[in-house]
Amino acid sequence: MSTGGIALLLAVTPHTFPGLITIGTIVFIFDVTLFVLLTALILARFIIFPGTFTQSVYHPTESLFIPTFFLTLSTIISCIQKYGYPSTGPWLVVTLRILFWTYVAITFTTAVLQYHLLFTGKPITLQSMTPAWILPVFPIMLSGTVASVISASQPQHQAIPILIAGTTFQGLGILISVFMYSNYMGRLMSNGLPSPDTRPGMFISVGPPSFTGLAFIGMANAAIEVFPHTFVLGTAAVPTAQVLKIVAVFLAIVLWSLSLFFFCISLLATLNGMKKMSFHLTWWSFVFPNTGFIIAIIDIGTAINSQSILWISSVATVLQVVMWLLVFVAHARAIVKKQILWPGKGA
C-alpha cells in the first residue's frame, strides 16, 4: 500500500518533469507485482500450515493488519484511474465502477465483522492501545478517496451515487477514528510513548484526517462536473456543487491541522527513540499515512491557488520518495540479516 501511495503521489504532484508519469507507471506496476507476489506467499502460508488463517483473524494484534490488504486495493484502483484513463477504452470506466462498489461492500462488511471480533475476543487493555486500532475502518474510509479519484470520469447517473457513497463512508471512517483518538490520547497521557521500535506506527494517526480532507476536496471537484445546479431540494438559489467546494476546502484545512498535530507528535516521539530503534514492519507507517498528508497539502494548495503551498508539497514529495526508498532498503536488509520473517523472529 505504501508503494501504491507513492505511485499515486507521483501522479498528482504539482511540479512535474518529462518522464515523471513514466516513473509513476513503473512504480505502479512494481506495486501490483509486489501485491500479487505477497498475496500468493500469504495464501501459501495459510494452505501449508492449516489453521494459521483462523489464528491470524482472531489474534488481537495480527488481525489489525488484515485491512492493509484492502488499503493496497484502494491505491491500486486509484492508480488504475490515474495511469489508465483516458488511454484505454470505455470498458475501464465500467470496470472501475464495479471495482468501487465491490470494494465498498467488502470493506464495510470486513470493518463491522473485525470490530465485532475485537469486541468479543480476548480483552485488550487501554495500555496496549495504538493507532493501529483505527486500521479495521481505514479501508472503508478510503472509499471516499477512491470515489474522489474515479467519479469525474463516470457518467452522471453513475457518478452521483458514487459520490454519495464516498461521502457516507469517508464520514464513517473519520468519526470512528476521532473516537479512537480519545483512547489514543488517554493512553499517551497515562502510559507514555510506545516502545521505540513501534513508534513509527504512531504515524498511522496522521492518515484519517489527511485522507478525509483530500477526499472531500476531490469529491467536491467531481461534484462540480456531475451535479445538477440544485441537488438538495429547497436550495435553488445557490449551486450545490460550488457550496460543497467551499465547505470542503475549509473543512480540509481544519482536518489537515489535526494531521499536522499528530505528525509532529509522532515525529518527536520517533526522533526521541531513534537510537534504540531496530527495523519493524511499522516503519512502513513512515510512508502511507504521510503520503495522504502530502496529497492533502497539494489539494489545499491547488484549491486556494497558493504557489507557496504547492512548492512545499513538491519538496515534501521528494522527501517522501526518499523515505520510501530508505524503508524499502531497511526492510530488505532486515530480511537478509534474518531479523524479521524468520522462525523465532517477529515482525
Side-chain angles (χ1 to χ4, degrees):
M1 65 183 182
S2 296
T3 304
I6 293 295
L8 188 59
L9 179 60
L10 294 177
V12 300
T13 190
H15 300 100
T16 62
F17 57 86
L20 181 61
I21 294 299
T22 301
I23 294 173
T25 303
I26 293 172
V27 174
F28 172 47
I29 293 172
F30 179 56
D31 175 54
V32 174
T33 303
L34 280 177
F35 176 72
V36 172
L37 175 61
L38 295 177
T39 300
L41 291 174
I42 292 173
L43 286 175
R45 172 201 173 197
F46 292 151
I47 294 172
I48 295 173
F49 302 100
T52 52
F53 176 75
T54 303
Q55 293 172 11
S56 295
V57 170
Y58 285 94
H59 193 282
T61 302
E62 185 174 348
S63 63
L64 292 173
F65 293 91
I66 293 175
T68 58
F69 172 84
F70 299 107
L71 291 177
T72 304
L73 288 178
S74 73
T75 63
I76 290 175
I77 295 172
S78 298
C79 286
I80 290 174
Q81 171 73 31
K82 290 294 185 181
Y83 292 103
Y85 180 85
S87 302
T88 54
W91 63 269
L92 184 63
V93 175
V94 177
T95 301
L96 286 168
R97 184 163 66 245
I98 294 172
L99 288 174
F100 172 80
W101 289 114
T102 304
Y103 175 86
V104 167
I106 293 175
T107 53
F108 178 73
T109 303
T110 301
V112 172
L113 292 177
Q114 189 162 11
Y115 276 123
H116 173 74
L117 291 176
L118 290 171
F119 296 157
T120 58
K122 183 179 179 181
I124 305 175
T125 62
L126 185 62
Q127 290 77 11
S128 64
M129 197 278 172
T130 70
W133 286 14
I134 300 172
L135 286 176
V137 80
F138 217 132
I140 185 59
M141 178 176 64
L142 289 195
S143 62
T145 307
V146 176
S148 72
V149 174
I150 73 169
S151 53
S153 65
Q154 297 292 321
Q156 183 184 36
H157 68 285
Q158 298 286 355
I160 291 177
I162 288 175
L163 289 174
I164 297 300
T167 303
T168 299
F169 293 113
Q170 192 75 42
L172 170 68
I174 189 61
L175 286 174
I176 293 179
S177 298
V178 168
F179 300 155
M180 292 296 182
Y181 285 154
S182 299
N183 289 326
Y184 177 49
M185 294 296 289
R187 180 250 186 268
L188 292 178
M189 293 291 290
S190 60
N191 296 95
L193 297 172
S195 63
D197 284 350
T198 60
R199 287 182 193 177
M202 295 175 66
F203 282 99
I204 294 175
S205 61
V206 176
S210 298
F211 282 105
T212 300
L214 69 89
F216 283 164
I217 292 179
M219 288 189 287
N221 288 334
I224 290 177
E225 300 292 330
V226 302
F227 270 25
H229 180 276
T230 302
F231 183 73
V232 179
L233 294 179
T235 60
V238 292
T240 301
Q242 291 185 19
V243 174
L244 284 176
K245 178 65 179 290
I246 296 170
V247 174
V249 171
F250 283 92
L251 181 57
I253 293 172
V254 172
L255 290 168
W256 183 85
S257 71
L258 179 60
S259 291
L260 177 62
F261 172 79
F262 281 120
F263 176 85
C264 293
I265 292 294
S266 303
L267 178 62
L268 289 175
T270 301
L271 292 176
N272 182 259
M274 184 172 292
K275 294 181 179 180
K276 301 177 182 178
M277 287 172 55
S278 59
F279 182 81
H280 193 280
L281 287 180
T282 55
W283 279 34
W284 284 108
S285 299
F286 285 135
V287 183
F288 186 72
N290 295 332
T291 298
F293 183 69
I294 298 170
I295 296 177
I297 298 176
I298 294 171
D299 287 351
I300 292 171
T302 301
I304 63 176
N305 194 27
S306 171
Q307 288 301 313
S308 298
I309 292 177
L310 291 176
W311 274 111
I312 290 173
S313 69
S314 292
V315 173
T317 297
V318 174
L319 295 175
Q320 186 69 344
V321 172
V322 172
M323 176 58 69
W324 170 65
L325 291 172
L326 290 175
V327 175
F328 187 88
V329 170
H331 192 163
R333 179 173 177 271
I335 294 175
V336 171
K337 296 183 69 174
K338 301 179 182 179
Q339 294 175 340
I340 63 169
L341 302 179
W342 197 258
K345 299 290 184 179

